[in-house]
Amino acid sequence: MDTSYPREDYLPTPSHKRDPSPATLVPPAPRDHLVWSIFNTIYMNFCCLGFVALAFSVKARDRKVCGDVEAARRFSSKAKCYNVLATAGSVVLPLLLAALVITGVLHLSKLAQESVGFFTYQFSPSDDEDK
């Protein structure tokens, strides 16, 4: 009984190695971005871009199942584009709105501080000015 490791009969020989020819190489199937599209549709549906991305994701998955890889790749690309737009719009617009609110509050507080002196001067005239 031979207990040496590695055994000679299980070692691969150079004749087992094959050089993959271009005909045997299959391009990877395109991603359909379905989960990302569902997330954008449910949680961040900015201008219905998430729904449009979901439609293209479903089309990409259908084309991939049918075997039409080129059409699946086109639909996948469109789904990714709409998902990026929906995500960016859903992240950038609230940040922009928060920045506008903060700058508006700061501007109003500065305006209120400046106008306090004006209104105290206007509403408390001295007796000499009434005569």
Side-chain angles (χ1 to χ4, degrees), residues 5-127:
Y5 186 78
R7 295 185 181 174
E8 295 293 327
D9 55 343
Y10 291 116
L11 288 177
T13 59
S15 63
H16 288 111
K17 290 184 179 181
R18 291 189 301 169
D19 188 25
S21 64
T24 60
L25 290 178
V26 178
R31 296 181 60 192
D32 54 13
H33 308 288
L34 188 64
V35 175
W36 190 11
S37 299
I38 291 172
F39 180 76
N40 279 333
T41 300
I42 293 173
Y43 295 109
M44 297 191 263
N45 198 7
F46 171 70
C47 292
C48 297
L49 291 176
F51 183 71
V52 174
L54 180 64
F56 279 115
S57 294
V58 170
K59 284 182 179 183
R61 180 165 281 195
D62 288 344
R63 293 289 97 200
K64 185 167 62 172
V65 168
C66 290
D68 190 2
V69 178
E70 188 58 37
R73 189 167 283 120
R74 281 183 287 137
F75 287 134
S76 174
S77 174
K78 288 181 183 181
K80 182 179 179 181
C81 182
Y82 282 117
N83 276 322
V84 167
L85 288 174
T87 303
S90 297
V91 170
V92 169
L93 284 179
L95 290 177
L96 182 65
L97 182 64
L100 287 174
V101 167
I102 290 170
T103 56
V105 166
L106 290 175
H107 180 70
L108 286 177
S109 67
K110 182 180 175 184
L111 186 64
Q113 287 175 354
E114 291 175 356
S115 64
V116 166
F118 175 75
F119 284 121
T120 56
Y121 180 75
Q122 281 298 101
F123 291 133
S124 61
S126 64
D127 292 335

